[in-house]
C-alpha cells in the first residue's frame, strides 16, 4: 500500500501511540491523518512560524506542539481545538514532550532552559548556562529527563516528583 500526501516542507511526522493516526507538520500547521484510510481528519492552526516538534498524549486524545514562534500549544483531538497555550517571545522552541500521565509538558529552546508547563503555566525549569538543548526524552517513569545538545552531548537530569 502506498499513499502520497500533498504536504510541502514537511519535516516532522509523529504516529499516535495506537498507530491509528499520525500528525504531519506543514510549516506552521499540523495536519492529522487517519493511518488506515489516509483521510485528513483535521488541521491544527495557531502557530505563526515553523513548528519544530509535536508529541502525542498517552491516550492519543491530545497533542502538544512547539515552534520557533515561542509557542507551546496543547490541542484536543476530539474537536481539533487548542486547549492550552504558553507563548514566550524571543524563544525558538525545538522540542516538546509529555510526562507519563500527559498532565505536564516539557519544552526546550534556544533560551538555554528546559521548562515544564502545567495548565499553560511554567511549573519548573532547569537553567543551562551556555548549553543549548535541542531534543528531549523523558523516561517511562518520569524519573530521568534526557537532553540532547547542539554539541552532540546527551545529558541526564533527575526529574521525578519534587
Amino acid at each position: 500500500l502506498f499513499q502520497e500526501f500533498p504536504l510541502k516542507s514537511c519535516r516532522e511526522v509523529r504516529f499516535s501511540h495506537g498507530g491509528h493516526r499520525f500528525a504531519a507538520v506543514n510549516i506552521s500547521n499540523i495536519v492529522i491523518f487517519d493511518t488506515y484510510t489516509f483521510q485528513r481528519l483535521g488541521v491544527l492552526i495557531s502557530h505563526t512560524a515553523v513548528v519544530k516538534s509535536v508529541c502525542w498524549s498517552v491516550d492519543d486524545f491530545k497533542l502538544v506542539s512547539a515552534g520557533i514562534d515561542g509557542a507551546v500549544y496543547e490541542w484536543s483531538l476530539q474537536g481539533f481545538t487548542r486547549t492550552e497555550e504558553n507563548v514566550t517571545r524571543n524563544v525558538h522552541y525545538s522540542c516538546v514532550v509529555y510526562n507519563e500521565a500527559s498532565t505536564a509538558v516539557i519544552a526546550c529552546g534556544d533560551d538555554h532552559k528546559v521548562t515544564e508547563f502545567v495548565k499553560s503555566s511554567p511549573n519548573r525549569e532547569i537553567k543551562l548556562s551556555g548549553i543549548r538543548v535541542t531534543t528531549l526524552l523523558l523516561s517511562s517513569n518520569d524519573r530521568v529527563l534526557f537532553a540532547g545538545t547542539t554539541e552532540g552531548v546527551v545529558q541526564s537530569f533527575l526529574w521525578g516528583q519534587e
Side-chain angles (χ1 to χ4, degrees), residues 31-126:
V31 185
I32 309 297
F33 289 97
D34 184 288
T35 302
Y36 302 110
T37 65
F38 307 119
Q39 178 184 2
R40 187 172 90 174
L41 302 174
V43 181
L44 309 176
I45 302 171
S46 276
H47 284 278
T48 58
V50 176
V51 175
K52 296 294 279 185
S53 180
V54 295
C55 183
W56 291 84
S57 64
V58 175
D59 62 8
D60 292 333
F61 289 129
K62 299 184 292 185
L63 185 105
V64 66
S65 60
I68 65 170
D69 55 358
V72 175
Y73 295 133
E74 185 174 59
W75 307 87
S76 166
L77 297 179
Q78 292 171 312
F80 299 100
T81 56
R82 191 175 69 212
T83 57
E84 302 288 343
E85 69 178 271
N86 184 285
V87 180
T88 309
R89 296 292 170 215
N90 300 320
V91 174
H92 300 104
Y93 285 110
S94 57
C95 188
V96 65
V97 295
Y98 270 113
N99 67 352
E100 187 176 30
S102 301
T103 56
V105 171
I106 304 160
C108 65
D110 63 357
D111 60 347
H112 304 286
K113 294 179 191 174
V114 174
T115 307
E116 178 185 61
F117 298 99
V118 176
K119 298 284 183 194
S120 298
S121 300
N123 186 47
R124 63 177 153 167
E125 66 182 23
I126 300 173

